Every structure is written in structure tokens, then in C-alpha cells.
Amino acid sequence: GFLPLQGHIVRNWKVRWFVLLQDKLLYYKIEGGKKEPSPKGRILLDGCTITCPCLEYENRPLLIKLKTKTNTDYFLECCSREERDSWALDITGAIHAGHPVQVQELHRMKNSFKLLENISLHDIVERMYDSSTGIKLTRNLDQGNRYKETFTGSALVDWLISSSFAVSRFEAVTLASMLMDENFIRPVGVRSTEATRSSDLSEKFLDDSTALYMFAESSKKNTSSREEVQFNISELSGTIVKQGFLVKQGHKRKNWKVRKFVLRADPAFLHYYDPTKEENKPVGGFSLRGCLVSALEDNGVPAGVKGNVQGNLFKIITKNDIHYYIQASSKAERVQWIEAIKPLT
């Protein structure tokens, strides 16, 4: 699949096509909408250590860090928490494939639930407040309201694991629920507030990128009415239905670029982002109301498509008759995207 990779010499980000083998991770360059035949590079997994979640880059919370036995660091970015954890699990399995005892230990740690002995919630909160190593506070939008100095549920779970307060996401969620029960943190916004009505401790706190929380001692939420929110902000306030990396043909130069696509409902929009840029702002997007979406045949290059593309193409035509040509990584992924988009048109 596609993942942004940080360069070693020039520390910029490039999107590469990654293939995981039993003992190595290969990555390829995409040129003209097609994967090049020879790999651009390889990461040997023997002796590698993996860090996930990796919180070394504040603007990139979905990183995986691989350190080879020659002390070379590789940073890979995923587009969702689920994708990151899936990649990390598969890479970890490949790293320890030749060591069955370590594999058994990994499964034991994953399936066990035991909080650290003599754990102090006060110590955790004190670490959370630390300006350099604590939880990062950001402004967030929920149901037309703006909240400042908040953090998402998934961000806190990542932080608890990376700070060694928990070894699994289930354990971190339970620990976060305890922090909430003891009034160290509180939910803000619709999703997280509704979850607190659950009687199960492990379900009160949401490991979710749309559930918002803040320190209980923080100032009251700074909100603005729905009418005051700018249109472009309201576009981005919809519920995320699906997200992932796809290859898109440009409108002017007709070249192919990998973009991170985010599909939202209520309101129904499809936005795309440049995953090599630091700022998390869409470089384009459009309303799905009145759109037509369909798969394109893989035998030959359809009219309107330039370059020697790999296939798995689909087309979206907006109600303003703008044509978007997009490549998925497989036929199954193309079907998934079309089925997710159609109900929103």
C-alpha cells in the first residue's frame, strides 16, 4: 500500500508504494500513474525495532518508526489509526517471524490486561501537562462548535502507550476512563459526552479521532455558533466515513499524484490532501450531492485519462460536469470506495 516516507538526506516526505515480505520491506516510486518495476529502496527487518505509536512529529500523529540494526531510522506515515496499527502488527510479525518465543510473548502482552502496579493518576496527569513531553493541546471543531486546548481520544491513547503507562489500546482506554471518572479530564462535544452514559468503564472513553476531551481544570469551551462557522470549515465538520491513499489525475497537467482522500457525510464531501506537506489542509475537494461515480474498464486507457496507468480506475463526475479520474490500489479497494461514495450522492 501507499505510505509517506521521510527521506534520509533531504528530510522531506515522499509517497511510496510499500510491499512487505517475510524479511524486508520494499518501497517503489510511482511514475506517470504506474509503479516502477524495480524498488527504490528496501528496509531489512532482521534486527529492526519498531515504535508505534511514534509521537516524535507533532503534526504527524500516525507514524511508525523503524530502526534498523545499523541504526538507520525510517518514519512511515499512515492515513488512519486502524491502518497504522494494521501495518505495525504485520511488520512486527515479520520482524519476529524467526523467533517464535518472541511472537508468543507479543501475543501474551497484547491479550493481557494489567495496569502498572502502584500507578498514580496524579503522576500521569502531571506528565500530561508537561510542555515538551505531555499531551499536545489543539483547537477542534465539533457539531459547529469550536473548542480550544483539547485533545482527541485516540491522541491520548497513543500518548499513554508511548509514555509506557499502558501496553495495549484496551489498557490505555481503561486508564483514560479512570482519569475521567476521577475528574482529571472531561469530555467535550457530542460523541465523547454521549459515551459517558455507558455503564461499562472501558466504553466510557472513546479511542477515536473525533471524540474530544480536555483537562477538567481548563477554561470553559470557546465556541462559536453554527451560523458563524465559515463554509469551508463546515465542509470539514462532517463525520469521516472512509479515508485512504489513492492516485489522482491532475486537471491541468494531467499528471498522477498520490493523495490522501477523506470521505465525509453530513455534509457529504470528498476532500484530498497532499500527504507530503506538513499542514493538514485539503488541496482540493467537492460536494458529492448530484455526483455520478462509476468504475472504468481496465482493458485499455479510457478517454480523458493520460499516462500508462495501472488500472483499478474509477471516475467521479460532479453536478458541474467536472471529471475526476482516480486509481485505487486494487479492484477490491475500488469497489469499497464506490460503494462508500454512492449513498452520499
Side-chain angles (χ1 to χ4, degrees), residues 37-108:
S38 300
K40 182 78 174 176
R42 66 193 69 215
I43 304 172
L44 299 179
L45 298 177
D46 180 41
C48 252
T49 58
I50 182 169
T51 303
C52 180
C54 172
L55 305 181
E56 292 190 22
Y57 290 86
E58 182 177 347
N59 294 332
R60 294 180 180 271
L62 298 174
L63 288 179
I64 296 171
K65 178 182 178 181
L66 293 175
K67 181 185 282 291
T68 68
K69 65 180 180 181
T70 58
N71 290 324
T72 302
D73 291 339
Y74 291 88
F75 292 92
L76 317 177
E77 185 179 33
C78 299
C79 67
S80 68
R81 192 177 68 256
E82 293 78 13
E83 184 190 51
R84 180 198 62 189
D85 293 346
S86 176
W87 269 105
L89 186 62
D90 289 341
I91 293 172
T92 301
I95 291 173
H96 298 297
H99 307 280
V101 174
Q102 292 184 8
V103 174
Q104 291 176 6
E105 178 66 14
L106 284 169
H107 284 292
R108 187 194 66 78

Side-chain angles (χ1 to χ4, degrees), residues 5 16-17 26-30 36-42:
L5 169 72
R16 298 291 182 245
W17 176 260
L26 305 179
Y27 52 94
Y28 297 78
K29 186 178 180 181
I30 300 294
E36 291 189 338
S38 300
K40 182 78 174 176
R42 66 193 69 215

Side-chain angles (χ1 to χ4, degrees), residues 171-232:
E171 184 173 323
V173 166
T174 305
L175 186 54
S177 297
M178 293 169 62
L179 291 171
M180 195 161 55
D181 273 3
E182 295 297 325
N183 203 34
F184 288 110
I185 62 174
R186 66 182 181 87
V188 291
V190 175
R191 288 216 64 202
S192 54
T193 302
E194 288 181 349
T196 59
R197 298 171 185 167
S198 170
S199 58
D200 187 347
L201 178 69
S202 64
E203 295 178 357
K204 287 185 177 182
F205 182 90
L206 295 179
D207 179 7
D208 194 285
S209 59
T210 62
L212 302 180
Y213 300 88
M214 68 190 310
F215 289 114
E217 296 180 357
S218 298
S219 57
K220 292 183 178 180
K221 64 182 180 182
N222 179 26
T223 65
S224 61
S225 67
R226 188 181 299 273
E227 291 73 25
E228 293 174 347
V229 178
Q230 296 178 4
F231 177 70
N232 63 336

Side-chain angles (χ1 to χ4, degrees), residues 126-137:
E126 188 174 338
R127 286 273 301 278
M128 288 175 66
Y129 271 110
D130 190 284
S131 58
S132 59
T133 61
I135 189 81
K136 303 300 180 185
L137 303 179

Side-chain angles (χ1 to χ4, degrees), residues 299-316:
N299 51 347
V301 179
V305 174
K306 305 294 183 182
N308 187 17
V309 297
Q310 272 183 188
N312 305 314
L313 283 163
F314 63 98
K315 178 172 69 173
I316 302 175

